[in-house]
Amino acid sequence: MIVFYLSGDRVFSTDQNAINGLYNKRHFGKLVEGKLFLSLLEATYLVERGKIEVRDGKRKLTVEELMNLGRERDELFDAKYLVYKDLRDRGYTVKSGLKFGSHFRVYRRGMDEHSQWLVWVLPENSRLSPNDITARVRVAHGVRKNMIMAIVDEDADVTYYKVEWVRF
């Protein structure tokens, strides 16, 4: 079992198996100075699947404890996790979309090419202004990506909507 250690709002490992198996082959996390850092979303996903364990000091954290840590830092953590898990389970590579003003950037398989989609996660009961949608679509269009809205309903089902410019 690969061990990661909690460090603020992420986890890290220096284990070469983590770097080779999770980063090089499956594109999880970010490699910084010989350490593999995972977001709480990535860590929760991998703990839930039995691929890693996360420790806070010597104490092993459960999936629920990781979820609670995520909720403390992000009110949309549950919705983002459901979308993250759904996309990973479908075989996509999912990375942060923060620099593009969205929650995720998504790659078809691996990371040999540029990401194809920017995904913005919203609970079903969210209120949106036309300006919110326009701004995100404009950014996606400007970086040659498709804007996807991932709507999470009360039953934890995810529905994806592609939002794009249309020229008449």
Side-chain angles (χ1 to χ4, degrees), residues 2-5 12-19 33-36:
I2 301 171
V3 177
F4 280 77
Y5 296 93
F12 75 92
S13 179
T14 56
D15 187 319
Q16 283 301 101
N17 291 323
I19 293 167
E33 297 177 4
K35 292 182 182 177
L36 178 59

Side-chain angles (χ1 to χ4, degrees), residues 86-164:
D86 183 59
L87 291 169
R88 272 289 184 174
D89 286 351
R90 292 171 185 250
Y92 295 106
T93 298
V94 183
K95 296 292 193 176
S96 171
L98 185 63
K99 72 180 181 179
F100 298 108
S102 57
H103 295 118
F104 304 118
R105 62 188 199 279
V106 180
Y107 300 78
R108 274 197 194 280
R109 300 283 187 269
M111 292 183 58
D112 296 335
E113 298 179 11
H114 292 286
S115 62
Q116 187 166 357
W117 302 281
L118 295 179
V119 177
W120 181 29
V121 179
L122 294 164
E124 183 178 42
N125 60 357
S126 295
R127 296 190 68 154
L128 296 174
S129 75
N131 288 345
D132 288 336
I133 297 169
T134 301
R136 285 170 172 79
V137 172
R138 192 171 278 161
V139 169
H141 181 78
V143 294
R144 298 182 195 168
K145 298 182 187 337
N146 294 300
M147 182 71 234
I148 305 295
M149 290 174 53
I151 308 299
V152 180
D153 69 19
E154 293 176 0
D155 295 325
D157 292 323
V158 181
T159 304
Y160 298 95
Y161 296 94
K162 180 179 177 184
V163 185
E164 62 186 347

